[in-house]
Amino acid sequence: MTDTKDTRPHMPLGLAQRGYTGVIQQLSARQAGSALSDIELESRLIELGFVEGARVEVLHEGLVGRDPIAVRVDSITIAVRRREAMAIIVA
Amino acid sequence: MELPLLHLALVGTPNSGKTSLFNALTGSRQKVANYPGVTVERKEGFFVTPLGRQVSVVDLPGTYSLRGRSPDEEITRDFVLGKASGETVPDLVLCVADSTNLRLTIRLLLELKRTGRPMVLVLNMFDIAARRGITVDVERLAKELGLPVVTSIAVRKGGTADLLKLTDEISAKLAAEAEDNSWRALSVAELRATQREADRIIADCVSLPARPDTWTARIDAVVLHPVGGLVVLALILFVMFQAVFAWAQPAMDLLKSGFDMLGEFVQATLPDGLLQSFLQNGVIAGVGSVIVFLPQIILIFLFILLLEDFGYMARAAFLMDRIMGGAGLHGRAFIPLLSSFACAIPGIMATRVIDNKRDRLTTILIAPLMTCSARIPVYTLIISAFIPARDVWGFINLQGLVMFGLYAAGIVSALAVSFLIKFFMLRDYAPAPFMLELPDYKMPRLKSIVIGIYTRAKMFLVRAGTTIFSMMVLIWFLASFPQPPAGATEPAIDFSLAAIIGKALEPLLAPVGFNWQIAVALIPGMAAREVAVAALGTVYAIEGGKEAAEQIGQVLATKWSLATALSMLAWYIFAPQCASTLAVIRRETGSWAWMAVTFTYMLVLAYAASLVTYNVAVALGAG
Ligand SMILES: Nc1nc2c(ncn2[C@@H]2O[C@H](COP(=O)(O)OP(=O)(O)OP(=O)(O)O)[C@@H](O)[C@H]2O)c(=O)[nH]1
Ligand SMILES: [Mg+2]
């Protein structure tokens, strides 16, 4: 099995499909192009539990543009838009 | 010596059960529901501990941090930091946690510790945690955090006993403990560090079984399915409006015949004259015709309360996010808008959870377009008088279908207005992010539903007894005086002030098909929408004279053309017929100008919609 956590390629959560599971590697607000400032976006993501090392799973996606997504972060479910989820780098 | 009042504050992440705890401690009936962002104001209540200490407790909006990103979070921040004018800083902060989900609360708690306030961690919803097999080493947690920790079940009788006991213990030795406030907004690095620290503490003290709530997962698989979810949402709304029509009917008929009997009784026992006319035409035909709608109002509230308590609201926001996005709003705005189906006032208050100023303003401006329960009497009256109670395709009630159409028209026009605002005023505007916790489903609690319905029903009846009643007295007076000269052959009302006023306004409203009786009803209807129904009841009852025992609906069916009726419906989709809503808009936007804007745009839309409806209907032969 090559699909272990260390060797999986890093990708933004904003591109993940439904059913994807992974671990947060880093936050990179610059990549997101959100309406929020980088600092504000990063703060908000952390406040909702998106920190390095947290396990995430994409549970649901919306109809239009598969957006937004419902993400399981450890023990809670958070709805975010893909645009903001681009700031969350997972593997 | 009497001890001074002990001040407690309830702080915690959204939806952790602060308000439930507040209600349990103080015996209040503040609104509780299963989605984040229910409480948007601070509320104070009082209780006495088992040892007799007088306590004041303040319930606050939920928040993830003290940064105060939106108006509701600012309330919490200012209260905790003692910035709110005229407020005392709390002696003891109760940090309320959802025990099934401690990560975010423990991080918030580590931040709160910097304020130097004495604090207790309340592990609420401990029943759910226990059921899921989550175990918490409470003693160790208390040691790690350096503060008392207590478990609680806010919604169970006696579920707060430990907390009360602890409050007594702490209050005895509180006094000089207050430390300096070293809080300042955390940098990203500090935030990250606190979350790490929180995660470490949780790893040490809490054991989580790898068993998330399977019910929630199963329900969400259907309810959040990209296509199926939208179908379910449409179905829920559809059933809701069908039910308002079909299910409420028996109870309404009962009330109606009750008022009829009362009217006949008054007519039979009292001598002809002013008193008889006042009671029969003013009170019974007027106020009574509004109270008849109580069953429908209860039903619509029942539906909304069930959805809120079950945990569906946040899902609806998720499903609607992109659709609302097309209109320049985000899904979060859907919750205030859905609440506006009950009444626009709590809906407008609920926009406090929206952090972006422009989004919030847009949502406030369009909330009054959502079909609030005060429109139900008007819609129902006209629909039942003019739309045949047929079934279409065998199972759908045509009247219910029209009602659904009116609700849909409200939603569509709200989105359209929002779209226009975005298009013309906020072109350069990037969409604000949508981030929302989707809570686990909870079984709706009978008690909280009953209390919710009881408070709304009471509000409705109080309004009928005050605003509507006083308007009715006014209308009865205007419609009865001056009395006709002796020997006059026309109906008495033709000589009254009401007729004079109504006829003066008639030219203005004739293009949209309104007669002078409607004009008379619309003016007091500015105070509250239902007044229009009551006013029509009174005006036609006085005009009708002896046969006034007839139902107002039947009277309308003979006096109005279909085109007029449709025009009236169109008017009511848009018209700004509610003084309290306008007052709340003024308060929440802090500006008379926005209130004036709302009033004007709604009035213009109402007139335009009625004009088009009436003329099209006449052209199609419904005049
Ligand atoms: N089973 C159980 N349910 C609870 C408990 N406490 C609260 N709830 C439920 O949790 C949900 C949220 O409760 P609220 O009291 O509205 O939460 P809140 O913290 O005031 O929420 P916001 O005002 O939005 O910040 C409601 O559905 C409550 O019925 C508890 O101890 N046990
Ligand atoms: Mg609350």
Side-chain angles (χ1 to χ4, degrees), chain B residues 221-458:
Chain B
V222 179
V223 160
L224 290 184
H225 184 274
V227 180
L230 286 172
V231 174
V232 170
L233 177 60
L235 214 66
I236 289 175
L237 293 180
F238 187 76
V239 169
M240 183 154 114
F241 306 132
Q242 281 280 316
V244 164
F245 246 92
W247 302 355
Q249 208 54 52
M252 288 178 66
D253 289 343
L254 209 67
L255 277 175
K256 222 180 250 169
S257 47
F259 279 111
D260 288 351
M261 268 157 60
L262 207 63
E264 279 160 28
F265 175 77
V266 166
Q267 194 173 15
T269 45
L270 288 178
D272 273 10
L274 280 180
L275 180 67
Q276 190 209 50
S277 159
F278 174 70
L279 286 179
Q280 196 185 351
N281 301 329
V283 180
I284 296 170
V287 179
S289 63
V290 173
I291 292 182
V292 163
F293 294 96
L294 184 63
Q296 288 193 323
I297 303 223
I298 287 181
L299 254 179
I300 195 107
F301 276 112
L302 175 67
F303 266 95
I304 291 179
L305 285 168
L306 282 174
L307 292 180
E308 285 181 346
D309 267 25
F310 185 51
Y312 186 73
M313 293 304 246
R315 270 77 185 179
F318 177 88
L319 292 169
M320 290 301 288
D321 179 57
R322 275 307 282 265
I323 296 165
M324 308 273 295
L329 291 169
H330 67 60
R332 198 73 205 255
F334 193 68
I335 297 180
L337 292 181
L338 207 56
S339 315
S340 300
F341 280 150
C343 173
I345 293 169
I348 289 169
M349 301 269 299
T351 62
R352 288 187 185 181
V353 301
I354 299 174
D355 51 277
N356 184 291
K357 279 212 177 65
R358 292 163 162 186
D359 280 359
R360 176 160 181 245
L361 187 62
T362 312
T363 312
I364 290 177
L365 291 186
I366 63 174
L369 288 177
M370 306 302 281
T371 305
C372 68
S373 58
R375 284 178 177 93
I376 292 179
V378 184
Y379 286 174
T380 310
L381 179 69
I382 297 176
I383 290 176
S384 29
F386 290 91
I387 310 290
R390 275 194 287 118
D391 280 355
V392 282
W393 304 313
F395 63 99
I396 297 169
N397 178 318
L398 182 64
Q399 293 183 331
L401 195 66
V402 173
M403 192 74 160
F404 180 67
L406 290 168
Y407 273 91
I411 301 172
V412 169
S413 53
L415 293 181
V417 169
S418 158
F419 180 78
L420 289 178
I421 293 176
K422 181 180 101 160
F423 191 76
F424 285 110
M425 311 205 315
L426 315 169
R427 282 201 177 199
D428 54 334
Y429 167 59
F434 165 70
M435 295 183 191
L436 183 66
E437 210 181 313
L438 304 179
D440 287 341
Y441 291 105
K442 293 199 174 69
M443 203 53 197
R445 312 187 65 81
L446 183 67
K447 194 175 152 204
S448 83
I449 301 275
V450 169
I451 288 176
I453 288 184
Y454 168 81
T455 30
R456 305 318 145 81
K458 203 171 101 185

Side-chain angles (χ1 to χ4, degrees), chain B residues 21 24 123-128 151-160:
Chain B
L21 205 55
L123 297 177
N124 191 38
M125 305 200 191
F126 211 67
D127 52 332
I128 306 180
T151 62
S152 99
I153 303 168
V155 294
R156 193 173 295 167
K157 210 169 172 200
T160 56

Side-chain angles (χ1 to χ4, degrees), chain A residues 27 34-36 39-52 54 60-65 67-70 72-81 83-84, chain B residues 64-65 67 69 100-101 103-104 107 188 191-192 195-196 199 212 220-221 224 226-227 230 318 321-323 325 329-331 355 430-438 440:
Chain A
L27 295 184
S34 165
L36 297 176
I39 292 181
E40 180 62 28
L41 176 60
E42 212 166 314
S43 305
R44 282 199 202 185
L45 288 173
I46 296 172
E47 281 167 13
L48 288 173
F50 290 102
V51 289
E52 289 76 359
H60 307 282
E61 30 187 42
L63 178 65
V64 187
D67 198 29
I69 48 177
R72 187 91 189 157
V73 194
D74 279 346
S75 53
I76 54 172
T77 310
I78 308 272
V80 286
R81 286 197 185 144
R83 181 191 285 267
E84 275 73 36
Chain B
Y64 293 107
S65 76
R67 289 188 304 127
R69 304 166 307 165
T100 61
N101 164 22
R103 286 185 78 213
L104 307 188
R107 205 215 63 251
V188 174
L191 257 181
R192 195 175 258 122
Q195 185 63 64
R196 288 257 168 75
D199 284 342
D220 273 346
L224 290 184
V227 180
L230 286 172
F318 177 88
D321 179 57
R322 275 307 282 265
I323 296 165
L329 291 169
H330 67 60
D355 51 277
F434 165 70
M435 295 183 191
L436 183 66
E437 210 181 313
L438 304 179
D440 287 341

Side-chain angles (χ1 to χ4, degrees), chain B residues 12-23 30-40 59-63 72 96 98 123-129 131 152-156 159 308-311 332 353 439-440 442-445 448:
Chain B
T13 52
N15 211 40
S16 57
K18 298 174 294 300
T19 306
S20 307
L21 205 55
F22 177 84
N23 289 347
Q30 293 302 322
K31 180 169 170 156
V32 164
N34 188 17
Y35 62 89
V38 178
T39 307
V40 292
D59 183 27
L60 292 164
T63 180
D72 61 326
V96 183
D98 169 354
L123 297 177
N124 191 38
M125 305 200 191
F126 211 67
D127 52 332
I128 306 180
R131 201 164 57 227
S152 99
I153 303 168
V155 294
R156 193 173 295 167
E308 285 181 346
D309 267 25
F310 185 51
R332 198 73 205 255
V353 301
D440 287 341
K442 293 199 174 69
M443 203 53 197
R445 312 187 65 81
S448 83

